[in-house]
Coordinates of all heavy atoms in Angstrom, one line a residue:
M18 N -2.4 20.5 -5.5 CA -1.9 19.1 -5.5 C -0.9 18.9 -4.4 O 0.0 19.8 -4.2 CB -1.4 18.8 -6.9 CG -0.7 17.5 -6.9 SD 0.2 17.0 -8.4 CE -0.5 18.0 -9.7
K19 N -1.0 17.8 -3.8 CA 0.0 17.4 -2.8 C 0.8 16.2 -3.2 O 0.1 15.2 -3.6 CB -0.6 17.3 -1.4 CG 0.4 17.0 -0.3 CD -0.2 17.2 1.1 CE 1.0 17.0 2.1 NZ 0.5 17.0 3.4
I20 N 2.1 16.2 -3.0 CA 2.9 15.1 -3.3 C 3.7 14.7 -2.0 O 4.2 15.6 -1.3 CB 4.0 15.4 -4.4 CG1 3.2 15.8 -5.7 CG2 4.9 14.2 -4.6 CD1 4.2 16.3 -6.8
L21 N 3.7 13.4 -1.7 CA 4.3 13.0 -0.5 C 5.4 12.0 -0.8 O 5.2 11.0 -1.5 CB 3.3 12.3 0.4 CG 3.7 12.1 1.9 CD1 3.9 13.4 2.6 CD2 2.5 11.4 2.6
A22 N 6.6 12.3 -0.3 CA 7.8 11.3 -0.4 C 7.7 10.4 0.8 O 7.5 10.9 1.9 CB 9.1 12.1 -0.4
V23 N 7.8 9.1 0.6 CA 7.7 8.1 1.6 C 8.9 7.2 1.7 O 9.5 6.8 0.7 CB 6.4 7.2 1.3 CG1 6.2 6.2 2.4 CG2 5.2 8.1 1.1
C24 N 9.3 7.0 3.0 CA 10.4 6.0 3.2 C 10.0 5.2 4.5 O 9.1 5.5 5.1 CB 11.8 6.7 3.4 SG 12.1 7.6 4.9
G25 N 10.9 4.3 4.8 CA 10.6 3.4 5.9 C 10.5 4.1 7.2 O 9.6 3.8 8.0
S26 N 11.4 5.0 7.5 CA 11.3 5.7 8.8 C 10.9 7.1 8.8 O 10.7 7.7 9.8 CB 12.7 5.6 9.5 OG 13.7 6.3 8.7
G27 N 10.8 7.7 7.6 CA 10.3 9.1 7.5 C 11.3 10.1 7.8 O 11.0 11.3 8.0
L28 N 12.6 9.8 7.8 CA 13.6 10.7 8.1 C 14.5 11.1 6.9 O 14.0 11.8 6.0 CB 14.5 10.2 9.3 CG 13.7 9.9 10.6 CD1 14.6 9.2 11.5 CD2 13.2 11.2 11.2
G29 N 15.7 10.6 6.9 CA 16.7 11.0 5.9 C 16.3 10.8 4.4 O 16.3 11.7 3.6
S30 N 16.0 9.5 4.0 CA 15.8 9.3 2.6 C 14.5 9.9 2.1 O 14.5 10.4 0.9 CB 15.7 7.8 2.3 OG 14.8 7.1 3.1
S31 N 13.4 10.0 2.9 CA 12.2 10.7 2.4 C 12.4 12.2 2.3 O 11.9 12.8 1.4 CB 11.0 10.4 3.2 OG 11.2 10.9 4.5
F32 N 13.2 12.8 3.2 CA 13.5 14.2 3.1 C 14.4 14.5 1.8 O 14.2 15.4 1.1 CB 14.3 14.7 4.3 CG 14.6 16.1 4.3 CD1 13.6 17.1 4.3 CD2 15.9 16.6 4.2 CE1 13.8 18.4 4.3 CE2 16.2 17.9 4.2 CZ 15.1 18.9 4.2
M33 N 15.4 13.6 1.6 CA 16.2 13.8 0.4 C 15.3 13.6 -0.9 O 15.5 14.4 -1.8 CB 17.3 12.7 0.4 CG 18.2 12.8 -0.8 SD 19.6 11.7 -0.7 CE 18.9 10.2 -0.1
L34 N 14.4 12.7 -0.9 CA 13.5 12.5 -2.0 C 12.6 13.7 -2.2 O 12.4 14.2 -3.3 CB 12.7 11.2 -1.8 CG 11.6 10.9 -2.9 CD1 12.3 10.9 -4.3 CD2 10.9 9.6 -2.6
E35 N 12.1 14.3 -1.1 CA 11.3 15.5 -1.1 C 12.1 16.7 -1.8 O 11.6 17.4 -2.7 CB 10.9 16.0 0.3 CG 10.2 17.3 0.4 CD 9.9 17.8 1.8 OE1 10.1 17.0 2.7 OE2 9.5 18.9 1.9
M36 N 13.3 16.8 -1.4 CA 14.2 17.9 -2.0 C 14.3 17.7 -3.5 O 14.2 18.6 -4.3 CB 15.5 18.0 -1.4 CG 15.5 18.3 0.1 SD 15.1 20.1 0.4 CE 13.4 20.0 0.8
N37 N 14.5 16.4 -3.9 CA 14.7 16.1 -5.4 C 13.4 16.3 -6.1 O 13.4 16.8 -7.3 CB 15.2 14.6 -5.5 CG 16.6 14.5 -5.2 OD1 17.4 15.5 -5.1 ND2 17.1 13.3 -4.8
I38 N 12.3 16.0 -5.5 CA 11.0 16.2 -6.1 C 10.8 17.7 -6.4 O 10.3 18.1 -7.4 CB 9.8 15.7 -5.3 CG1 9.9 14.1 -5.3 CG2 8.5 16.1 -5.8 CD1 9.0 13.5 -4.2
K39 N 11.1 18.5 -5.4 CA 11.0 20.0 -5.5 C 11.9 20.5 -6.7 O 11.4 21.4 -7.4 CB 11.4 20.7 -4.2 CG 10.3 20.5 -3.1 CD 10.7 21.2 -1.8 CE 9.6 21.0 -0.8 NZ 10.0 21.6 0.5
K40 N 13.1 20.0 -6.8 CA 14.0 20.4 -7.9 C 13.3 20.1 -9.3 O 13.3 20.9 -10.2 CB 15.3 19.7 -7.9 CG 16.2 20.1 -6.8 CD 17.5 19.3 -6.8 CE 18.3 19.6 -5.5 NZ 19.5 18.7 -5.5
V41 N 12.7 18.9 -9.4 CA 12.1 18.4 -10.6 C 10.9 19.3 -10.9 O 10.6 19.7 -12.0 CB 11.8 16.9 -10.6 CG1 10.9 16.5 -11.7 CG2 13.0 16.1 -10.6
L42 N 10.1 19.5 -9.9 CA 8.9 20.4 -10.1 C 9.2 21.8 -10.6 O 8.6 22.3 -11.5 CB 8.1 20.5 -8.8 CG 7.4 19.2 -8.3 CD1 6.8 19.5 -6.9 CD2 6.3 18.8 -9.3
K43 N 10.3 22.3 -10.1 CA 10.8 23.6 -10.5 C 11.2 23.6 -12.0 O 10.8 24.5 -12.8 CB 12.0 24.1 -9.7 CG 12.4 25.5 -10.0 CD 13.5 26.0 -9.0 CE 13.8 27.4 -9.3 NZ 14.8 27.9 -8.4
E44 N 11.9 22.5 -12.4 CA 12.3 22.3 -13.8 C 11.1 22.2 -14.7 O 11.0 22.7 -15.8 CB 13.1 21.1 -14.0 CG 14.5 21.1 -13.6 CD 15.3 19.8 -13.8 OE1 15.0 19.1 -14.8 OE2 16.1 19.5 -13.0
L45 N 10.0 21.5 -14.2 CA 8.8 21.3 -15.0 C 7.9 22.5 -15.0 O 6.9 22.5 -15.8 CB 8.1 20.0 -14.5 CG 8.8 18.7 -14.7 CD1 8.0 17.6 -14.0 CD2 9.0 18.4 -16.2
G46 N 8.1 23.4 -14.1 CA 7.2 24.6 -13.9 C 5.9 24.2 -13.3 O 4.9 24.8 -13.6
V47 N 5.9 23.2 -12.5 CA 4.6 22.7 -11.8 C 4.7 23.1 -10.3 O 5.7 22.9 -9.7 CB 4.4 21.2 -12.0 CG1 3.2 20.7 -11.2 CG2 4.3 20.8 -13.4
E48 N 3.6 23.7 -9.8 CA 3.5 24.0 -8.4 C 2.8 22.9 -7.7 O 1.7 22.5 -8.1 CB 2.9 25.3 -8.2 CG 3.8 26.5 -8.7 CD 3.2 27.8 -8.2 OE1 2.6 27.9 -7.1 OE2 3.5 28.8 -8.9
A49 N 3.3 22.5 -6.6 CA 2.7 21.5 -5.7 C 3.2 21.6 -4.3 O 4.4 22.0 -4.1 CB 2.9 20.1 -6.3
E50 N 2.4 21.2 -3.4 CA 2.9 21.1 -2.0 C 3.6 19.7 -1.9 O 3.0 18.7 -2.2 CB 1.7 21.2 -1.0 CG 2.0 21.1 0.4 CD 0.8 21.1 1.3 OE1 -0.3 21.5 0.9 OE2 1.0 20.6 2.5
V51 N 4.8 19.7 -1.3 CA 5.6 18.5 -1.2 C 6.0 18.3 0.2 O 6.4 19.2 0.9 CB 6.9 18.5 -2.1 CG1 7.6 17.2 -2.0 CG2 6.5 18.9 -3.5
G52 N 5.8 17.1 0.7 CA 6.2 16.8 2.1 C 6.8 15.4 2.1 O 7.0 14.7 1.1
H53 N 7.1 14.9 3.3 CA 7.7 13.6 3.5 C 7.1 12.9 4.7 O 6.7 13.6 5.6 CB 9.2 13.6 3.5 CG 9.8 14.3 4.7 ND1 9.9 15.6 4.7 CD2 10.3 13.8 5.8 CE1 10.5 15.9 5.9 NE2 10.7 14.8 6.6
S54 N 7.1 11.6 4.7 CA 6.5 10.8 5.8 C 7.1 9.4 5.9 O 7.7 8.9 4.9 CB 5.0 10.7 5.5 OG 4.4 10.0 6.6
D55 N 6.8 8.8 7.0 CA 7.2 7.4 7.1 C 6.1 6.5 6.6 O 4.9 6.8 6.6 CB 7.6 7.0 8.6 CG 6.4 7.2 9.5 OD1 5.9 8.3 9.7 OD2 5.8 6.1 9.9
L56 N 6.5 5.3 6.2 CA 5.5 4.3 5.6 C 4.4 4.0 6.5 O 3.2 3.9 6.1 CB 6.3 3.0 5.3 CG 5.5 1.9 4.6 CD1 5.1 2.4 3.2 CD2 6.4 0.7 4.5
A57 N 4.6 3.8 7.8 CA 3.6 3.4 8.8 C 2.5 4.5 9.0 O 1.4 4.2 9.3 CB 4.2 3.1 10.1
S58 N 2.8 5.8 8.7 CA 1.9 6.9 8.9 C 1.0 7.2 7.7 O 0.1 8.0 7.8 CB 2.6 8.1 9.4 OG 3.3 7.9 10.6
V59 N 1.4 6.7 6.6 CA 0.7 7.1 5.3 C -0.7 6.6 5.2 O -1.0 5.4 5.5 CB 1.5 6.6 4.1 CG1 0.8 6.9 2.8 CG2 2.9 7.3 4.1
T60 N -1.6 7.5 4.9 CA -3.0 7.2 4.6 C -3.3 7.7 3.2 O -2.7 8.7 2.7 CB -4.0 7.7 5.6 OG1 -4.0 9.2 5.5 CG2 -3.6 7.3 7.0
P61 N -4.3 7.1 2.5 CA -4.7 7.6 1.2 C -5.1 9.1 1.1 O -4.9 9.7 0.1 CB -5.9 6.7 0.8 CG -5.7 5.5 1.6 CD -5.1 5.9 2.9
A62 N -5.5 9.6 2.2 CA -6.0 11.0 2.2 C -4.8 12.0 2.3 O -5.0 13.2 2.2 CB -7.0 11.3 3.3
D63 N -3.6 11.5 2.6 CA -2.5 12.4 2.8 C -2.0 13.2 1.6 O -1.4 14.2 1.8 CB -1.3 11.6 3.4 CG -1.6 11.1 4.8 OD1 -2.4 11.7 5.5 OD2 -0.9 10.1 5.2
A64 N -2.2 12.6 0.4 CA -1.6 13.3 -0.8 C -2.3 12.8 -2.0 O -3.1 11.8 -2.0 CB -0.1 13.0 -0.9
D65 N -2.1 13.5 -3.1 CA -2.6 13.1 -4.4 C -1.7 12.1 -5.1 O -2.1 11.2 -5.8 CB -2.8 14.3 -5.3 CG -3.7 15.3 -4.7 OD1 -4.9 15.0 -4.5 OD2 -3.2 16.5 -4.4
I66 N -0.3 12.3 -4.9 CA 0.7 11.4 -5.4 C 1.7 11.0 -4.3 O 2.1 11.9 -3.6 CB 1.4 12.1 -6.6 CG1 0.5 12.5 -7.7 CG2 2.5 11.2 -7.1 CD1 1.1 13.4 -8.8
F67 N 2.0 9.8 -4.2 CA 2.9 9.2 -3.3 C 4.1 8.7 -4.0 O 4.0 7.9 -5.0 CB 2.3 8.1 -2.4 CG 1.1 8.5 -1.6 CD1 -0.1 8.6 -2.2 CD2 1.3 8.9 -0.3 CE1 -1.2 9.0 -1.4 CE2 0.2 9.3 0.5 CZ -1.1 9.4 -0.1
I68 N 5.3 9.1 -3.6 CA 6.5 8.7 -4.3 C 7.4 8.0 -3.3 O 7.7 8.5 -2.2 CB 7.3 9.9 -5.0 CG1 6.3 10.6 -5.9 CG2 8.5 9.4 -5.7 CD1 6.9 11.8 -6.6
M69 N 7.9 6.8 -3.7 CA 8.7 6.0 -2.8 C 9.6 5.0 -3.6 O 9.5 4.9 -4.8 CB 7.8 5.1 -1.9 CG 6.9 4.2 -2.7 SD 5.4 3.6 -1.8 CE 4.5 5.1 -1.9
S70 N 10.5 4.4 -2.9 CA 11.4 3.4 -3.6 C 10.5 2.2 -4.0 O 9.5 1.9 -3.3 CB 12.5 3.0 -2.7 OG 12.0 2.3 -1.5
R71 N 11.0 1.5 -5.0 CA 10.3 0.3 -5.5 C 10.1 -0.7 -4.4 O 9.0 -1.4 -4.3 CB 11.1 -0.3 -6.6 CG 10.4 -1.4 -7.3 CD 10.9 -1.6 -8.7 NE 10.5 -0.4 -9.5 CZ 11.0 0.0 -10.6 NH1 12.0 -0.7 -11.2 NH2 10.6 1.0 -11.3
D72 N 11.0 -0.9 -3.5 CA 10.9 -1.9 -2.4 C 9.8 -1.6 -1.4 O 9.3 -2.5 -0.8 CB 12.2 -2.2 -1.7 CG 12.8 -1.0 -1.0 OD1 12.7 0.1 -1.6 OD2 13.3 -1.1 0.1
L73 N 9.4 -0.4 -1.3 CA 8.3 0.0 -0.4 C 7.0 0.0 -1.0 O 5.9 -0.1 -0.3 CB 8.6 1.4 0.2 CG 9.8 1.5 1.1 CD1 9.9 3.0 1.6 CD2 9.7 0.6 2.3
A74 N 6.9 0.1 -2.3 CA 5.7 0.3 -3.0 C 4.6 -0.8 -2.8 O 3.4 -0.5 -2.7 CB 5.9 0.4 -4.6
G75 N 5.0 -2.0 -2.6 CA 4.1 -3.1 -2.3 C 3.6 -3.1 -0.8 O 2.7 -3.8 -0.5
S76 N 4.2 -2.3 0.0 CA 3.8 -2.3 1.4 C 2.8 -1.2 1.8 O 2.4 -1.2 3.0 CB 5.1 -2.0 2.3 OG 6.1 -3.0 2.0
V77 N 2.3 -0.4 0.9 CA 1.4 0.6 1.2 C 0.3 0.6 0.1 O 0.5 0.4 -1.0 CB 2.1 2.0 1.2 CG1 2.7 2.4 -0.1 CG2 1.2 3.1 1.8
S78 N -0.9 0.9 0.6 CA -2.1 0.9 -0.3 C -2.6 2.3 -0.4 O -3.3 2.8 0.5 CB -3.2 0.0 0.3 OG -4.3 0.0 -0.6
V79 N -2.2 3.0 -1.4 CA -2.6 4.4 -1.7 C -3.0 4.5 -3.1 O -2.6 3.7 -4.0 CB -1.5 5.4 -1.4 CG1 -1.2 5.4 0.1 CG2 -0.2 5.1 -2.1
P80 N -3.9 5.4 -3.5 CA -4.4 5.5 -4.8 C -3.4 5.8 -6.0 O -3.5 5.2 -7.0 CB -5.5 6.6 -4.8 CG -5.1 7.4 -3.6 CD -4.4 6.5 -2.6
C81 N -2.5 6.6 -5.8 CA -1.5 6.9 -6.8 C -0.1 6.9 -6.3 O 0.2 7.8 -5.5 CB -1.8 8.3 -7.5 SG -0.6 8.7 -8.7
K82 N 0.6 5.9 -6.7 CA 2.0 5.9 -6.2 C 3.0 5.7 -7.3 O 2.7 5.1 -8.3 CB 2.2 4.8 -5.1 CG 1.9 3.4 -5.6 CD 2.0 2.4 -4.4 CE 1.3 1.1 -4.8 NZ 1.1 0.2 -3.7
I83 N 4.1 6.4 -7.2 CA 5.2 6.3 -8.1 C 6.3 5.5 -7.4 O 6.8 6.0 -6.4 CB 5.6 7.6 -8.6 CG1 4.5 8.3 -9.4 CG2 6.9 7.5 -9.4 CD1 4.8 9.8 -9.8
A84 N 6.7 4.4 -8.0 CA 7.8 3.6 -7.4 C 9.1 3.9 -8.2 O 9.1 3.8 -9.4 CB 7.4 2.1 -7.5
L85 N 10.1 4.2 -7.5 CA 11.4 4.6 -8.1 C 12.4 3.5 -7.8 O 12.5 2.9 -6.7 CB 11.9 5.9 -7.5 CG 11.0 7.1 -7.7 CD1 11.6 8.2 -6.8 CD2 10.9 7.5 -9.1
S86 N 13.3 3.2 -8.8 CA 14.3 2.2 -8.6 C 15.5 3.0 -7.9 O 16.3 2.3 -7.2 CB 14.8 1.6 -9.9 OG 15.1 2.5 -10.8
N87 N 15.6 4.3 -8.1 CA 16.7 5.1 -7.5 C 16.1 6.4 -7.0 O 15.8 7.3 -7.9 CB 17.8 5.3 -8.5 CG 19.0 6.0 -7.9 OD1 18.9 6.6 -6.9 ND2 20.1 5.9 -8.6
I88 N 16.0 6.6 -5.7 CA 15.3 7.8 -5.2 C 16.2 9.1 -5.4 O 15.7 10.2 -5.2 CB 14.9 7.7 -3.8 CG1 16.1 7.5 -2.8 CG2 13.9 6.6 -3.6 CD1 15.8 7.6 -1.4
I89 N 17.4 9.0 -5.7 CA 18.3 10.2 -5.9 C 18.5 10.5 -7.4 O 19.1 11.5 -7.7 CB 19.6 10.1 -5.2 CG1 20.4 8.9 -5.7 CG2 19.4 10.0 -3.7 CD1 21.8 8.9 -5.1
A90 N 17.9 9.7 -8.3 CA 18.1 9.9 -9.7 C 17.1 10.9 -10.2 O 15.9 10.6 -10.4 CB 17.9 8.6 -10.5
L91 N 17.5 12.1 -10.4 CA 16.6 13.2 -10.8 C 15.9 12.9 -12.2 O 14.7 13.2 -12.4 CB 17.3 14.5 -10.9 CG 17.8 15.1 -9.6 CD1 18.6 16.4 -9.9 CD2 16.7 15.4 -8.7
G92 N 16.6 12.2 -13.1 CA 16.1 11.9 -14.4 C 14.9 10.9 -14.2 O 13.9 11.1 -14.9
E93 N 15.0 9.9 -13.4 CA 13.9 9.0 -13.2 C 12.7 9.7 -12.5 O 11.5 9.5 -12.9 CB 14.3 7.8 -12.3 CG 13.2 6.8 -12.1 CD 13.6 5.6 -11.2 OE1 14.7 5.6 -10.6 OE2 12.8 4.7 -11.2
I94 N 13.0 10.5 -11.5 CA 11.9 11.3 -10.9 C 11.2 12.2 -11.9 O 9.9 12.2 -12.0 CB 12.4 12.1 -9.7 CG1 13.0 11.2 -8.6 CG2 11.3 13.0 -9.1 CD1 13.8 11.9 -7.6
K95 N 11.9 12.8 -12.7 CA 11.4 13.7 -13.7 C 10.5 12.9 -14.7 O 9.4 13.3 -15.1 CB 12.5 14.5 -14.5 CG 12.0 15.5 -15.4 CD 13.1 16.3 -16.0 CE 12.6 17.4 -17.0 NZ 13.7 18.2 -17.5
E96 N 11.1 11.8 -15.2 CA 10.3 11.0 -16.2 C 9.0 10.5 -15.6 O 8.0 10.6 -16.3 CB 11.2 9.8 -16.5 CG 10.6 8.8 -17.4 CD 11.4 7.5 -17.6 OE1 12.6 7.6 -17.5 OE2 10.8 6.5 -17.9
K97 N 9.0 10.0 -14.4 CA 7.8 9.4 -13.8 C 6.8 10.5 -13.4 O 5.6 10.3 -13.6 CB 8.1 8.6 -12.6 CG 9.1 7.4 -12.9 CD 8.4 6.1 -12.7 CE 9.3 5.0 -13.2 NZ 9.6 4.0 -12.2
L98 N 7.3 11.7 -12.9 CA 6.3 12.8 -12.7 C 5.7 13.3 -14.0 O 4.6 13.6 -14.0 CB 7.0 13.9 -11.9 CG 7.1 13.6 -10.4 CD1 7.9 14.7 -9.7 CD2 5.7 13.6 -9.7
T99 N 6.6 13.4 -15.0 CA 6.1 13.9 -16.3 C 5.0 13.0 -16.8 O 3.9 13.5 -17.2 CB 7.2 14.0 -17.3 OG1 8.2 14.9 -16.8 CG2 6.7 14.5 -18.7
E100 N 5.2 11.7 -16.7 CA 4.1 10.7 -17.1 C 2.8 11.0 -16.4 O 1.7 11.0 -16.9 CB 4.6 9.3 -17.0 CG 5.7 8.9 -17.9 CD 6.2 7.5 -17.6 OE1 5.7 6.8 -16.7 OE2 7.3 7.1 -18.2
E101 N 3.0 11.1 -15.0 CA 1.8 11.3 -14.2 C 1.1 12.6 -14.5 O -0.1 12.6 -14.6 CB 2.2 11.2 -12.7 CG 1.0 11.2 -11.8 CD 0.0 10.1 -11.9 OE1 0.4 9.0 -12.3 OE2 -1.2 10.4 -11.8
F102 N 1.8 13.6 -14.7 CA 1.2 14.9 -14.9 C 0.6 15.0 -16.3 O -0.5 15.6 -16.5 CB 2.3 16.1 -14.9 CG 2.8 16.3 -13.5 CD1 4.1 16.9 -13.3 CD2 2.1 16.0 -12.3 CE1 4.6 17.1 -12.0 CE2 2.5 16.3 -11.1 CZ 3.8 16.8 -10.9
Q103 N 1.1 14.3 -17.3 CA 0.5 14.2 -18.6 C -0.8 13.4 -18.5 O -1.8 13.8 -19.1 CB 1.4 13.5 -19.6 CG 2.6 14.4 -20.0 CD 3.6 13.8 -20.9 OE1 3.7 12.5 -20.9 NE2 4.4 14.6 -21.6
K104 N -0.9 12.4 -17.7 CA -2.1 11.6 -17.5 C -3.2 12.5 -16.9 O -4.4 12.4 -17.2 CB -1.9 10.5 -16.5 CG -1.2 9.3 -17.1 CD -1.1 8.2 -16.1 CE -0.1 7.2 -16.4 NZ 0.1 6.3 -15.3
R105 N -2.8 13.5 -16.0 CA -3.7 14.3 -15.3 C -4.0 15.6 -16.1 O -4.7 16.5 -15.7 CB -3.1 14.7 -14.0 CG -3.0 13.6 -13.0 CD -2.3 13.9 -11.7 NE -2.2 12.8 -10.8 CZ -2.9 12.7 -9.7 NH1 -3.6 13.7 -9.3 NH2 -2.7 11.7 -8.9
G106 N -3.3 15.8 -17.3 CA -3.6 17.0 -18.1 C -2.9 18.2 -17.5 O -3.2 19.4 -17.9
I107 N -1.8 18.0 -16.7 CA -1.1 19.1 -16.1 C 0.0 19.6 -17.0 O 0.3 20.8 -17.1 CB -0.6 18.8 -14.7 CG1 -1.7 18.5 -13.8 CG2 0.4 19.8 -14.2 CD1 -1.3 17.9 -12.5
L108 N 0.6 18.7 -17.8 CA 1.6 19.0 -18.8 C 1.2 18.7 -20.2 O 0.5 17.8 -20.4 CB 2.9 18.3 -18.5 CG 3.7 18.7 -17.2 CD1 4.9 17.8 -17.1 CD2 4.2 20.1 -17.3

């Protein structure tokens, strides 16, 4: 499974989100490839799950996206990933 953190420019905030996703995955005991990208470069084939801030979520058309109100809130990231993993039968 591949998870992609997305931000407007693909630099600082998406990298920070990537690091937070990795922390949450470790807590959950789930293995996944995690990367980061800018909004303009994202295509549906890039990942299985796309995670971004709520303000960007309407700007990209991808199959599975998780919109966050706070990209640095580990609790929100954990909650939303847990929900998605439960839907997929991973947790």
Side-chain angles (χ1 to χ4, degrees):
M18 173 187 335
K19 183 166 184 184
I20 300 172
L21 195 62
V23 180
C24 76
S26 63
L28 299 171
S30 57
S31 63
F32 181 67
M33 182 173 41
L34 179 54
E35 176 186 347
M36 296 289 97
N37 288 338
I38 292 166
K39 287 178 177 179
K40 287 178 190 175
V41 168
L42 290 174
K43 187 174 183 179
E44 284 181 34
L45 295 174
V47 175
E48 290 193 30
E50 180 183 342
V51 184
H53 66 278
S54 179
D55 65 287
L56 183 64
S58 300
V59 171
T60 68
D63 291 339
D65 301 299
I66 300 172
F67 297 84
I68 303 179
M69 63 203 70
S70 65
R71 186 160 289 161
D72 61 320
L73 294 180
S76 302
V77 64
S78 181
V79 292
C81 178
K82 60 185 162 191
I83 294 174
L85 302 170
S86 56
N87 184 344
I88 64 169
I89 60 171
L91 293 175
E93 183 182 10
I94 296 167
K95 185 176 183 178
E96 175 188 332
K97 300 247 174 125
L98 278 175
T99 298
E100 289 173 12
E101 184 59 35
F102 291 154
Q103 287 173 340
K104 286 181 200 172
R105 294 172 180 250
I107 295 171
L108 289 179

